Amino acid sequence: PKKEVLIMFSNWKEKLAAKKEKNKCYEESRHWKTNALLQECLQAMRGSCTIAPPEMHEAVIAAVNIAMKENIWTKPDEIPADLFSDTVYVVWDDARLPVVMAHWNAAQEKFEDLRTVNPNTFLVAQTMDRILWFHVQDGLKLYSIT
């Protein structure tokens, strides 16, 4: 009987830990819905952006992480007009925020709204070969593998 009680207690502890983890994941996934700065940005960009699908979210984050690891950024004087031509992905320096997709023209018009969410904001080309980084301390940085 003592062994059975220990097994039951162990099973209960595992279920409790799994429930806590599930609740934590759920709360983190809802963080972006309660982030006031993100909500203001999404409202300002209403109709011109969408949340990226999960598989693209992971790919875009991977591209930013690769660029950060390689650390071969240039510092352009201004944003080249032909830097991006179509869709860009917006990534903020907060793992709890979603990746947002927007057309380059809409993102250009709303730079300030995008940067208000987090001072370290990345715009990633749809082809993921160019990344524009609004760095909080160093200003504008550009990563390009072309």
Side-chain angles (χ1 to χ4, degrees), residues 31-52:
H31 170 77
W32 70 273
K33 292 180 181 180
T34 59
N35 182 303
L37 296 173
L38 177 63
Q39 291 305 313
E40 288 175 24
C41 175
L42 293 175
Q43 186 66 31
M45 294 199 59
R46 203 164 115 212
S48 62
C49 71
T50 59
I51 304 299

Side-chain angles (χ1 to χ4, degrees), residues 16-72:
L16 183 62
K19 183 178 179 183
K20 283 183 180 181
E21 184 62 29
K22 182 179 177 183
N23 287 344
K24 180 182 171 192
C25 290
Y26 177 74
E27 287 304 315
E28 283 184 7
S29 72
R30 294 187 44 79
H31 170 77
W32 70 273
K33 292 180 181 180
T34 59
N35 182 303
L37 296 173
L38 177 63
Q39 291 305 313
E40 288 175 24
C41 175
L42 293 175
Q43 186 66 31
M45 294 199 59
R46 203 164 115 212
S48 62
C49 71
T50 59
I51 304 299
E55 61 276 5
M56 291 310 299
H57 176 103
E58 292 174 14
V60 173
I61 296 295
V64 170
N65 286 335
I66 290 168
M68 297 294 285
K69 185 175 181 178
E70 289 182 357
N71 200 25
I72 50 174

Side-chain angles (χ1 to χ4, degrees), residues 40-106:
E40 288 175 24
C41 175
L42 293 175
Q43 186 66 31
M45 294 199 59
R46 203 164 115 212
S48 62
C49 71
T50 59
I51 304 299
E55 61 276 5
M56 291 310 299
H57 176 103
E58 292 174 14
V60 173
I61 296 295
V64 170
N65 286 335
I66 290 168
M68 297 294 285
K69 185 175 181 178
E70 289 182 357
N71 200 25
I72 50 174
W73 300 89
T74 59
K75 293 186 81 173
D77 295 329
E78 59 185 39
I79 299 169
D82 62 345
L83 181 62
F84 303 116
S85 60
D86 198 17
T87 300
V88 293
Y89 295 98
V90 182
V91 178
W92 293 283
D93 191 15
D94 183 342
R96 298 172 298 171
L97 296 179
V99 172
V100 173
M101 296 173 17
H103 193 276
W104 168 234
N105 293 337

Side-chain angles (χ1 to χ4, degrees), residues 41 45 90 92 100 102 106-108 110-119 121 123 134:
C41 175
M45 294 199 59
V90 182
W92 293 283
V100 173
Q108 276 184 301
K110 302 295 182 178
F111 276 153
E112 290 307 311
D113 294 300
L114 293 171
R115 293 184 62 212
T116 300
V117 175
N118 188 294
T121 302
L123 296 181
F134 295 97

Side-chain angles (χ1 to χ4, degrees), residues 63 83-84 124-131 142-146:
L83 181 62
F84 303 116
V124 181
Q126 187 172 20
T127 54
M128 295 186 217
D129 60 345
R130 291 177 310 282
I131 300 173
L142 179 63
Y143 171 84
S144 179
I145 58 173
T146 54

